[in-house]
Amino acid sequence: MTVDKTAPLQDLLARRILILDGAMGPMIQSYRLQEADYRGARFRDWPSDLKGNNDLLVLTQPAIIREIHAAYLEAGADIIETNTFNSTSVSMHDYRMESLVPELNREAAKLAREVADRYSTPERPRFVAGILGPTGRTASLSPDVNNPGFRNIRFDELIAAYTEAAQGLIQGGADILLVETIFDTLNAKAALFAIHQLFDEAGIRVPVMISGTITDKSGRVLSGQTTEAFWNSLSPIRPLCFGLNCALGATQLRPYLAELAGIADTHVSAHPNAGLPNAFGEYDETPEMMANTIREFDESGFLNIVGGCCGTTPAHIRAIAEAVKDFPPRPIPSIAPRCRLSGLEPLNIGPDSLFVNVGERTNVTGSAVFKRLITKGDYTAALDVAR
């Protein structure tokens, strides 16, 4: 029998806008940890440098991660994210720690679960989102400009990596699986395939959230898709929530969020950066500045879940929570059925579509058979090719 954990969240989302937490990195940096702090006693003799491996801190400095989770819950977060952005075998390869992936995910979820349960009440439950990051590799693009056909990761390798991570997060008690900071839609498809294969095998369902990253003013993810094409590609998964995060501040994210809010027949989320990075790579947008922009998002009816990404702190989350508390959640629109396809751009086919060109098989320069039919005037047979 399949156990489905979606209902409690759906009920809460129908009543109010939920608050996601903020960035983990800046909070960890505030502790000014050194190499020895990252290593702890367990990894004192590890052969590679470990400073900067923030995910490892769930094992070596769990008290610090607990404090950070608690700070966001105190600030008003309904959902806290596990400290597992890089906890896949692909990303942990840099530290030669692939074997730790199941433990990292399981313990990170347990740790977040412990803190969330401490703050939960019957009137105000708190939730844990198990984070599945994008990895540092892309299945769609070549890292070698001189060899555009080269790939340094395969789809099946990504599926295996995401399966291992997701399994650990579920075992540790995550309420939600959040595939976030997506820059390559193909990577995301591998993660979502792994999740649903795991659901079928384990006989369990937890809500899935998807959050993509629009990289710049082109309005596209790094692998090239526009917001609507990105939605068309992944919406058949039927996630609990579909959203955007990272790369841009709230002001820059607005047009893409407005577009998504108009086309998504599911909940919509946003966790933008605290503005754009300055010359030193730091984020200058204050909690008040960010909250004012997000308040306008809610006035426009864009959001169901909102939080922060790079540069945000508990102060940002507190200001955002205060800014949105009196606004109702975005109503989920009824979207007319269409055949919704995507390459880099969306292709939506409906009753108002005059005609649709179908591939290179219906091109007189690309198909000798099709050219012969057109030359003979045998349009019925040519139409069969298109069909």
Side-chain angles (χ1 to χ4, degrees):
M1 179 179 177
T2 298
V3 179
D4 194 327
K5 297 185 177 182
T6 306
L9 263 173
Q10 288 281 23
D11 179 62
L12 205 55
L13 282 163
R15 291 187 274 131
R16 64 181 179 87
I17 296 168
L18 298 190
I19 305 299
L20 189 66
D21 65 6
M24 179 64 72
M27 298 296 291
I28 290 174
Q29 289 167 13
S30 71
Y31 287 84
R32 302 186 181 281
L33 302 177
Q34 302 303 312
E35 179 71 26
D37 300 309
Y38 279 87
R39 288 177 176 272
R42 178 175 171 183
F43 302 102
R44 184 181 293 117
D45 299 322
W46 198 260
S48 61
D49 290 343
L50 297 179
K51 185 178 179 181
N53 186 356
N54 288 345
D55 294 19
L56 184 61
L57 297 175
V58 302
L59 303 181
T60 59
Q61 301 291 340
I64 289 175
I65 305 304
R66 282 193 194 93
E67 287 180 5
I68 294 171
H69 286 322
Y72 279 119
L73 290 165
E74 289 278 1
D78 298 293
I79 304 168
I80 54 172
E81 302 168 72
T82 57
N83 183 37
T84 53
F85 188 80
N86 289 306
S87 293
T88 60
S89 57
V90 179
S91 296
M92 281 294 149
H93 176 74
D94 294 342
Y95 300 98
R96 306 180 195 175
M97 288 186 155
E98 299 96 315
S99 64
L100 291 176
V101 166
E103 183 182 6
L104 286 170
N105 285 279
R106 185 175 60 252
E107 294 306 312
K110 281 183 179 179
L111 198 156
R113 172 85 278 144
E114 172 195 329
V115 184
D117 287 347
R118 194 179 344 134
Y119 280 82
S120 290
T121 66
E123 301 76 26
R124 182 81 184 275
R126 309 297 180 99
F127 301 92
V128 173
I131 296 303
L132 294 164
T135 83
R137 300 193 180 190
T138 164
S140 293
L141 304 172
S142 173
D144 183 354
V145 294
N146 297 310
N147 185 3
F150 174 68
R151 299 290 182 272
N152 61 7
I153 192 78
R154 298 198 314 272
F155 190 75
D156 287 350
E157 291 174 312
L158 285 167
I159 290 173
Y162 281 121
T163 298
E164 184 179 43
Q167 190 169 37
L169 290 168
I170 292 172
Q171 289 173 349
D175 302 296
I176 303 161
L177 292 178
L178 171 51
V179 182
E180 69 150 335
T181 319
I182 298 164
F183 62 82
D184 183 341
T185 310
L186 193 56
N187 283 36
K189 286 185 176 182
L192 295 164
F193 182 91
I195 287 169
H196 282 271
Q197 184 172 255
L198 186 61
F199 286 170
D200 290 342
E201 291 172 355
I204 192 170
R205 288 285 186 277
V206 300
V208 174
M209 293 174 61
I210 297 170
S211 188
T213 297
I214 303 298
T215 53
D216 53 32
K217 290 184 178 179
S218 70
R220 297 173 184 270
V221 299
L222 186 64
S223 57
Q225 286 193 309
T226 64
T227 302
E228 186 173 2
F230 180 66
W231 161 255
N232 282 3
S233 289
L234 299 181
S235 59
I237 294 295
R238 306 311 305 161
L240 172 79
C241 188
F242 203 101
L244 300 171
N245 78 289
C246 205
L248 303 177
T251 300
Q252 296 80 22
L253 194 65
R254 189 193 190 284
Y256 315 116
L257 187 62
E259 180 182 2
L260 182 61
I263 60 176
D265 58 353
T266 187
H267 301 292
V268 166
S269 69
H271 50 297
N273 293 347
L276 297 175
N278 60 28
F280 301 100
E282 298 172 344
Y283 295 85
D284 298 326
E285 201 161 283
T286 65
E288 293 72 23
M289 292 165 62
M290 192 171 179
N292 285 337
T293 303
I294 287 175
R295 181 182 292 108
E296 190 277 323
F297 288 179
D298 292 306
E299 289 172 347
S300 300
F302 292 164
L303 289 173
N304 302 97
I305 299 176
V306 62
C309 200
C310 301
T312 58
T313 65
H316 289 83
I317 298 307
R318 182 175 288 105
I320 290 169
E322 180 66 24
V324 308
K325 68 178 184 179
D326 295 325
F327 290 98
R330 163 186 168 272
I332 297 178
S334 177
I335 306 295
R338 294 283 187 277
C339 176
R340 300 183 187 277
L341 310 174
S342 61
L344 299 184
E345 311 282 343
L347 174 61
N348 302 323
I349 304 171
D352 54 348
S353 301
L354 182 60
F355 65 89
V356 178
N357 285 334
V358 183
E360 288 299 306
R361 291 299 301 274
T362 55
N363 184 331
V364 293
T365 63
S367 169
V369 172
F370 189 75
K371 179 180 180 179
R372 187 161 58 248
L373 294 171
I374 295 298
T375 303
K376 290 169 55 180
D378 191 349
Y379 300 120
T380 300
L383 186 58
D384 287 339
V385 174
R387 290 196 180 103

